[in-house]
Amino acid sequence: MLDKCTDTWITTPKKLLSAATREACLVHIYPSGPNMGRRYPLLMDRIFTLGRGEDADIRITDNSVSRRHAVVEPSREGFYVADQQSTNGTFVNDKQLDGPWMLQDGDYLRVGNCLYRFLAGGNIEAEYHEEIYRLTILDGLTQLHNGRYLTEFLEREVLRSQRHNRPLAVLALDIDKFKALNDTHGHLCGDFVLRELGKVLRDTIRQEDLAARCGGEEFVVVLVETTADEAVKAAERIRAAVAAHPFRFESAPIKLTVSVGVASTLGDATATATALRKIADERLYRAKHAGRNRVCG
């Protein structure tokens, strides 16, 4: 059996599949739409093809996907995936495959613009329903929280801020010249940039804070127990981290910057989640009009 993304043979023995593993499946998690959450069971007696062709087992009608893009094949050790000389490549956990890859429980499989999650744990039904719940609160592409969860979280934190007279801040972020980047490098590059930005945000904010994607290239960060001055400093750290991050798509470096607007409250009785977001958005647009790649608080 080939090791992950290499052309060398491995000698480490692997345990045989359990009955639970034989019930493995792929779950469609991106893009959203009628197929989101759809489960594709994987069987031990057949090879599954993913592609745009009419004969594909998992047919993906997206121009970013080749007619016969990838195959998932069972073996004694588990299920492995292999690219089929597709135009845009096959990725597992954002690493492009250059050979067969043995899928592990929870791996993310990407073909073109479409993302699937491989489940093969001890209780497939429980894992599947947990994944469906994740899809209701997370953005499938960036793995940040989505707009629905952001609204609930922010409304709860505003009430807590008012009850205890504690500071709270909201950052509105927008990728500078994102449309031009998409037009120049294509939507695959745009999706790559969004995923990478999600990682930068997760690595930069504190565990108690929340980062969410609100659609397109727009993001919101909620900073709990954070004053206006502290929020501006946090926004500047995010801006600098994005500007310094080595975004590289298909070996081509991508220069990326963000503009940030900052809003805050000290527990004002009149503050609302909607008002804070509106103020943050207005200051974001001021940062854009002032030249981009800057923070406006």
Side-chain angles (χ1 to χ4, degrees), residues 148-295:
R148 171 184 170 182
Y149 187 84
L150 166 67
T151 298
E152 296 174 357
F153 182 88
L154 183 54
E155 288 177 348
R156 185 169 63 247
E157 289 302 321
V158 167
L159 290 175
R160 193 171 73 90
S161 169
Q162 292 169 337
R163 185 179 303 117
H164 301 291
N165 292 316
R166 303 300 299 168
L168 177 70
V170 175
L171 312 182
L173 294 85
D174 188 88
I175 299 176
D176 296 327
K177 300 182 178 179
F178 185 70
K179 183 179 184 304
L181 184 149
N182 263 337
D183 292 343
T184 301
H185 299 283
H187 289 284
L188 282 177
C189 179
D191 281 356
F192 162 78
V193 163
L194 292 168
R195 282 194 302 272
E196 284 292 299
L197 179 56
K199 293 178 184 177
V200 173
L201 290 176
R202 287 195 300 272
D203 291 343
T204 306
I205 67 173
R206 302 170 303 180
Q207 186 174 1
E208 61 266 33
D209 299 328
L210 179 128
R213 182 187 177 201
C214 301
E217 68 274 26
E218 300 174 2
F219 297 81
V220 170
V221 176
V222 180
L223 304 173
V224 300
E225 301 280 338
T226 303
T227 65
D229 289 344
E230 292 169 339
V232 169
K233 292 177 182 177
E236 180 57 32
R237 284 195 298 272
I238 292 173
R239 186 208 61 78
V242 173
H245 186 76
F247 293 89
R248 184 172 291 274
F249 178 73
E250 295 181 347
S251 77
I254 305 295
K255 180 64 176 177
L256 195 76
T257 62
V258 295
S259 299
V260 189
V262 181
S264 63
T265 176
L266 289 172
D268 308 319
T270 58
T272 65
T274 300
L276 285 171
R277 289 192 60 181
K278 181 179 179 181
I279 294 170
D281 282 339
E282 290 171 349
R283 292 175 178 173
L284 165 63
Y285 292 127
R286 280 166 48 188
K288 290 277 192 184
H289 294 152
R292 302 184 179 90
N293 190 25
R294 64 193 63 212
V295 174

Side-chain angles (χ1 to χ4, degrees), residues 120-147:
N123 188 332
I124 291 297
E125 284 300 318
E127 286 203 2
Y128 173 68
H129 289 293
E130 180 180 347
E131 187 64 26
I132 295 302
Y133 171 71
R134 282 169 48 84
L135 291 176
T136 67
I137 65 172
L138 295 181
D139 172 60
L141 181 64
T142 64
Q143 293 301 293
L144 298 177
H145 285 93
N146 59 22

